[in-house]
């Protein structure tokens, strides 16, 4: 199919090599080539062909995705893939923006076995689980409790005579609920999204399991019922840590898809007039459309950068823990908590903005933006609700303030809290990314001190930490967000500095995106910078001008920057986001193919007939 002339023209501009940026995003040319190979292994294999999942009922969707997910597993085994990124490539190429039915087995059942099973148990369960000879799920949440783990009611009473645990969900609120991939007892019913996953309920009534079913690497029950505590009790939370550490990159992936669709479509879509008689411009030429999408384009790159960094950090900490060193578990937990919370929340807001920016066609499943949205938005609740996780980060920051007062060294990711920040020089309209980073770190430091002063005063008054925290939860959450933004911006600036050395032309365009991210973040909290007397009104006016100027620099690069995400059309599955930009013809073809247009609407005639007969 010929290339849409608008997109063809967009691809003749640009100042950097798209392929080199794709290689950087993938982690090197070899990784790009391997990703292409794996995608083709799926896309050329007829077993992965099937009905357009956007037209399917919940039951049909589950069946079709289960069929495909089993094919994904076979393909992954056939190709001897064990790298999680490569396995995810095969998975994403097949799932058409859905979450597959066996996802929880991979991300929430295998991981705890890896982390908390002793060698014997690994042989017994981890090895067959990795081969899908046993399929598992993660049944923690109950009808009455999800966030408050210590409030869970399920019982495991030890029967010393039989060396068994007797499992019970003693109350209705104790019923296990939301259990992804729970194939025994029942499905909890239709949901907002996640149609490919059978989130189940599980009632336990005197279910007996052997003593050695308790994962024993981090704590065990002896034959006489004595409980031997794990060296570090917090490691039992580790199974939630793994998914949280991975979700920032999942957020980046989903936002990159949405931004690709919206920016390509905004170049194809012509609407209204700027100069009368000069034809309808591309909607991406409107400043308001750029103001919707360019900060999100910058955010997608920022989130990808920090998502890769978080996964590396987490993997290092897990290796340390496997060797018995727990000193970085707390930092890993609060980084994963803050990044998972902020990134997934801003991603679902961003996907919605992308959908709105495509007008009516964004609301059609032909765009796939609604599919990406309803499947992504779960990640702001699942694996730790947003506020719950931000409070974890906030409590850690309050401890950092005490550590600072006591001269205890801080973890590297919060070291900036110990830095002194002088009020900025007057800003013009070309503030560099390092100055923007300093400002964002300054705000986080000041906010942490400000919140800590309130919590301390409350603690003095009540002597109760939980009460003190509860009274200031709103500003504690804001404090955690401010810190997390400092972590994101630091990762982005660090990566762009590195790329400026290795590939100056790519680095330059990414530094523009980094400035857009930083300026947008500062303008979103401009009142704080005035209140803390770090910036003046003139500074804020200047960086507002800078933002609009940056949009003009990014405009000719925008399509190339989303092309660099390198989504194959069959992976993106969006008519608005097609690489060739042939939207209208394919929208019409897709609509005509809808089963709704094929069914004989006998019901229509039957009921309208009744109206006519009713002699209204
Ligand atoms: C082939 C590959 C396919 C790839 C597929 C890719 C696509 C996938 C897309 C999406 C997949 C997503 C699937 C989602 C499925 C969802 C699953 C679930 O939801 S499972 C259930 C999740 N539930 C939760 O997260 C519950 C949240 N609540 C809690 O974690 C806890 O209740 C709490 C909020 C942390 C409170 O804990 P507690 O009550 O014990 O009190 P605290 O005092 O706050 O904590 C005690 C100390 O423990 C430390 N802590 C807490 N949590 C952790 C942790 N996780 N790790 C380490 N340390 C932790 C805490 O800091 C306290 O420490 P101190 O202050 O005492 O030092
Ligand atoms: C798509 C999806 C898949 C899931 N898959 C699984 C799975 O496979 N296995 C599993 O075990 N669970 C699963 N879950 C459940 C999930 O882990 C919980 O929904 C999540 O932990 C939130 O807990 P909750 O639902 O009890 O919400 P609640 O904690 O009841 O939250 C309700 C509101 O109360 C607020 N709140 C609660 N506690 C506090 C507090 N201390 N301070 C301030 N505000 C508070 C929250 O911020 C929120 O606004 C899944 C959920 C979803 C949506």
């Amino acid at each position: 199919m010929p290339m849409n002339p608008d997109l063809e023209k967009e691809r003749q501009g640009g100042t950097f090599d798209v392929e080199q940026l794709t290689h950087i995003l993938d982690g090197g040319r070899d990784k790009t080539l391997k990703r292409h190979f794996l995608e083709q292994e799926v896309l050329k294999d007829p077993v992965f062909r099937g009905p357009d999942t956007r037209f399917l009922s919940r039951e049909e969707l589950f069946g079709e995705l289960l069929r495909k997910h089993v094919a994904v597993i076979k393909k992954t085994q056939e190709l001897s893939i064990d790298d999680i990124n490569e396995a995810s490539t095969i998975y994403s190429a097949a799932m058409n923006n859905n979450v597959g039915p066996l996802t929880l087995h991979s991300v929430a059942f295998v991981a705890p076995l890896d982390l908390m099973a002793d060698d014997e148990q690994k042989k017994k369960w981890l090895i067959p689980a990795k081969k899908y000879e046993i399929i598992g799920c993660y049944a923690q949440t109950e009808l009455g409790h999800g966030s408050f783990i210590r409030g869970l009611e399920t019982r495991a009473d030890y029967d010393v005579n039989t060396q068994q645990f007797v499992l019970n969900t003693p109350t209705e609120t104790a019923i296990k609920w939301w259990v992804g991939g729970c194939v025994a007892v029942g499905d909890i019913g239709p949901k907002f999204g996640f149609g490919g996953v059978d989130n189940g309920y599980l009632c336990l009534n005197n279910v007996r399991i052997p003593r050695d079913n308790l994962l024993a690497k981090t704590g065990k029950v002896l034959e006489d019922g004595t409980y031997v505590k794990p060296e570090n009790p917090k490691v039992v939370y580790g199974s939630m840590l793994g998914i949280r550490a991975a979700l920032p990159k999942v957020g980046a992936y989903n936002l990159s898809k949405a931004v690709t669709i919206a920016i390509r479509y905004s170049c194809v879509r012509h609407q209204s007039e700027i100069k009368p008689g000069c034809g309808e411009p591309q909607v991406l030429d409107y400043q308001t459309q750029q103001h919707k999408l360019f900060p999100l384009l910058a955010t997608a790159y920022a989130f990808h950068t920090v998502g890769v960094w978080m996964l590396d950090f987490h993997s290092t900490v897990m290796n340390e823990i496997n060797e018995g060193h727990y000193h970085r578990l707390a930092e890993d937990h609060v980084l994963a908590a803050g990044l998972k919370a902020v990134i997934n929340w801003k991603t679902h807001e961003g996907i919605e903005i992308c959908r709105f920016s495509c007008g009516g066609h964004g609301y059609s499943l032909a765009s796939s933006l609604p599919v990406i949205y309803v499947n992504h938005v779960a990640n702001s609740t699942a694996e730790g609700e947003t506020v719950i996780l931000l409070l974890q980060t906030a409590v850690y920051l309050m401890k950092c303030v005490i550590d600072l007062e006591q001269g205890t060294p801080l973890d590297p990711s919060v070291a900036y809290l110990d830095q002194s920040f002088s009020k900025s020089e007057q800003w013009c309209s070309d503030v560099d990314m390092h100055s923007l980073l300093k400002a964002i770190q300054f705000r986080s430091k000041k906010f942490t001190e400000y919140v800590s002063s309130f919590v301390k005063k409350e603690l003095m008054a009540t002597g109760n930490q939980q009460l003190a925290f509860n009274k200031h939860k709103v500003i504690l959450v804001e404090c955690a967000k401010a810190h997390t933004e400092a972590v994101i911006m630091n990762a982005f600036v660090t990566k762009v500095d590195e790329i400026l050395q290795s590939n100056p032309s790519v680095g330059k365009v990414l530094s523009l995106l980094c400035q857009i991210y930083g300026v947008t973040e500062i303008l979103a909290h401009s009142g704080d910078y005035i209140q803390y007397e770090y910036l003046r009104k003139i500074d804020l006016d200047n960086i507002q001008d800078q933002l609009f100027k940056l949009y003009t620099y990014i405009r000719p690069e925008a399509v190339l920057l989303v092309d660099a995400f390198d989504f194959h059309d069959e992976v993106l599955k969006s008519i608005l986001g097609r690489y060739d930009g042939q939207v209208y013809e394919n929208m019409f073809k897709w609509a005509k193919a809808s089963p709704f247009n094929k069914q004989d609407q006998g019901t229509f005639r039957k009921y309208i007939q009744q109206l006519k007969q009713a002699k209204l």
Side-chain angles (χ1 to χ4, degrees):
M1 196 166 261
M3 179 71 67
N4 168 286
D6 288 314
L7 285 187
E8 189 160 31
K9 183 164 141 279
E10 296 287 344
R11 289 175 174 134
Q12 283 153 8
T15 60
F16 67 97
D17 183 315
V18 174
E19 204 176 2
Q20 286 178 10
L21 181 47
T22 300
H23 295 164
I24 291 169
L25 290 170
D26 282 325
R29 181 172 178 278
D30 292 348
K31 294 214 170 122
T32 299
L33 295 177
K34 184 64 175 288
R35 178 171 57 78
H36 286 165
F37 165 75
L38 293 173
E39 281 173 356
Q40 282 310 311
E41 279 296 302
V42 171
L43 299 177
K44 75 183 185 190
D45 188 333
V47 78
F48 293 103
R49 285 198 206 113
D52 188 324
T53 51
R54 292 168 289 190
F55 291 132
L56 301 182
S57 69
R58 166 80 201 284
E59 291 69 19
E60 290 165 338
L61 177 68
F62 179 75
E64 174 61 5
L65 289 177
L66 189 56
R67 181 189 72 78
K68 280 184 161 182
H69 206 151
V70 168
V72 162
I73 292 160
K74 287 180 181 168
K75 180 65 79 176
T76 307
Q77 291 168 340
E78 177 196 309
L79 297 171
S80 312
I81 300 293
D82 53 22
D83 174 86
I84 184 67
N85 287 314
E86 293 178 2
S88 299
T89 295
I90 296 172
Y91 170 93
S92 303
M95 286 295 130
N96 303 146
N97 300 313
N98 291 286
V99 180
L102 298 170
T103 304
L104 272 296
H105 170 84
S106 313
V107 303
F109 178 66
V110 169
L113 290 174
D114 213 359
L115 188 73
M116 301 196 279
D118 64 20
D119 292 343
E120 264 319 293
Q121 291 171 328
K122 281 184 176 168
K123 277 196 215 102
K124 191 173 169 188
W125 293 312
L126 179 60
I127 292 168
K130 282 187 168 177
K131 291 185 207 160
Y132 292 86
E133 288 160 9
I134 53 174
I135 302 286
C137 53
Y138 187 80
Q140 174 177 294
T141 301
E142 298 172 352
L143 198 53
H145 289 95
S147 293
F148 187 49
I149 294 178
R150 283 184 285 128
L152 296 174
E153 298 172 78
T154 299
R155 295 188 58 80
D157 294 289
Y158 184 62
D159 180 345
V160 69
N161 302 317
T162 63
Q163 303 279 312
Q164 290 172 326
F165 289 107
V166 185
L167 303 184
N168 276 288
T169 49
T171 62
E172 198 168 65
T173 49
I175 295 172
K176 287 299 175 187
W177 205 263
W178 275 111
V179 185
C182 173
V183 296
V185 188
D187 182 88
I188 64 172
K191 308 182 289 281
F192 188 64
F194 255 67
V197 179
D198 52 338
N199 292 93
Y201 59 76
L202 179 64
C203 309
L204 297 163
N205 184 3
N206 290 320
V207 174
R208 287 179 166 269
I209 60 172
R211 177 174 64 91
D212 66 12
N213 276 28
L214 175 71
L215 298 182
K217 185 174 168 191
T218 56
K220 59 185 74 168
V221 170
L222 305 180
E223 287 186 11
D224 64 358
T226 311
Y227 176 53
V228 179
K229 273 190 175 176
E231 195 183 333
N232 184 317
K234 295 161 199 167
V235 79
V236 289
Y237 286 128
S239 28
M240 291 178 280
L241 205 40
I243 299 182
R244 287 178 195 156
L247 282 174
K249 194 158 175 266
V250 171
Y253 181 79
N254 291 333
L255 184 58
S256 305
K257 281 185 171 178
V259 159
T260 298
I261 294 164
I263 284 182
R264 283 179 179 166
Y265 177 66
S266 297
C267 290
V268 169
R269 186 72 169 178
H270 290 250
Q271 198 70 209
S272 315
E273 276 187 324
I274 295 182
K275 289 187 208 118
C278 292
E280 296 185 74
Q282 294 164 290
V283 294
L284 196 59
D285 288 335
Y286 290 120
Q287 190 189 54
T288 45
Q289 192 81 352
Q290 295 172 7
H291 195 48
K292 287 177 194 172
L293 296 177
F294 290 170
L296 292 176
L297 176 60
T299 301
Y301 272 92
F303 288 0
H304 175 86
T305 307
V306 77
V308 169
W309 175 85
M310 180 69 235
L311 274 171
D312 288 347
F313 183 87
H314 175 69
S315 149
T316 306
V317 173
M318 287 300 112
N319 292 336
E320 290 169 356
I321 286 173
N322 278 331
E323 285 153 24
H325 309 301
Y326 296 92
H327 60 295
R328 292 212 286 184
L329 176 59
E331 187 182 20
D332 188 29
H333 161 49
V334 295
L335 278 168
L339 288 170
K340 183 264 184 194
V342 167
I343 287 178
N344 283 287
W345 187 269
K346 287 178 80 171
T347 292
H348 81 240
E349 289 179 325
I351 296 168
E352 268 292 72
I353 291 167
C354 288
R355 184 176 68 77
F356 281 120
S357 69
C358 295
H361 298 331
Y363 192 69
S364 163
L365 294 193
S367 73
S368 276
L369 286 164
V371 182
I372 295 167
Y373 178 80
V374 295
N375 285 304
H376 172 81
V377 71
N379 297 337
S380 285
T381 306
E383 212 50 67
E385 197 274 332
T386 299
V387 162
I388 297 297
L389 296 185
L390 288 170
L391 288 169
Q392 287 293 302
T393 305
V395 168
Y396 167 84
L397 292 170
M398 296 300 106
K399 287 182 193 160
C400 290
V401 174
I402 296 166
D403 288 346
L404 276 172
E405 288 161 357
Q406 295 169 352
T408 309
L410 296 180
D411 290 326
S413 57
V414 282
Y416 70 90
L417 295 177
D418 195 17
Q419 283 171 17
S420 52
F421 292 82
S422 50
K423 195 161 85 172
S424 82
E425 298 303 313
Q426 173 142 338
W427 277 1
C428 301
S429 57
D430 58 355
V431 182
D432 68 285
M433 60 185 186
H434 297 93
S435 305
L436 297 170
L437 169 61
K438 275 209 169 319
I440 293 169
Q441 289 175 330
F442 164 82
R443 174 176 175 261
S444 174
K445 174 184 166 89
K446 288 300 281 185
F447 217 112
T448 302
E449 291 164 356
Y450 168 76
V451 171
S452 163
S453 66
F454 277 85
V455 169
K456 266 189 219 154
K457 207 158 46 184
E458 202 62 40
L459 201 52
M460 300 279 279
T462 62
N464 179 319
Q465 190 177 69
Q466 284 308 325
L467 270 181
F469 283 148
N470 199 47
K471 186 151 184 203
H472 299 291
K473 274 188 173 178
V474 170
I475 52 176
L476 278 164
V477 163
E478 291 310 310
C479 171
K481 285 181 190 171
H483 166 61
T484 304
E485 288 293 353
V487 171
I488 293 166
M489 187 68 179
N490 184 58
F492 200 8
V493 168
T494 305
K495 186 66 181 173
V496 172
D497 271 339
E498 186 191 298
I499 297 169
L500 278 166
Q501 300 307 313
S502 60
N503 190 323
S505 60
V506 169
K508 187 174 178 323
V509 73
L510 292 182
S511 70
L512 299 176
L513 291 180
C514 198
Q515 289 172 56
I516 289 177
Y517 189 85
V519 169
T520 303
E521 171 56 23
I522 290 167
L523 290 174
H525 303 285
S526 50
D528 293 341
Y529 291 96
I530 298 281
Q531 186 181 347
Y532 295 137
E533 298 179 337
Y534 188 83
L535 295 174
R536 296 146 291 271
K537 183 177 180 317
I538 181 66
D539 301 322
L540 295 167
D541 291 345
N542 285 338
I543 61 171
Q544 181 65 74
D545 293 343
Q546 175 173 352
L547 189 60
F548 294 143
K549 200 165 65 173
L550 285 164
Y551 292 167
T552 63
Y553 300 151
I554 287 296
R555 174 64 188 85
E557 317 273 11
V559 169
L560 299 167
L561 282 165
V562 298
D563 284 352
F565 292 134
D566 196 27
F567 288 113
H568 190 286
D569 278 356
E570 280 310 300
V571 175
L572 199 58
K573 214 76 186 164
S574 167
I575 290 170
L576 302 194
R578 289 173 60 98
Y579 185 84
D580 65 9
Q582 295 300 348
V583 172
Y584 298 130
E585 176 186 341
N586 286 289
M587 277 285 279
F588 190 35
K589 211 159 87 181
W590 181 82
K592 283 189 288 185
S594 163
F596 195 77
N597 290 325
K598 299 221 177 331
Q599 289 153 357
D600 164 22
Q601 292 309 322
T603 41
F604 181 78
R605 267 189 290 284
K606 177 175 142 196
Y607 292 108
I608 293 298
Q609 210 60 32
Q610 282 176 12
L611 273 180
K612 287 179 184 161
Q613 286 155 4
K615 293 192 181 21
L616 293 174

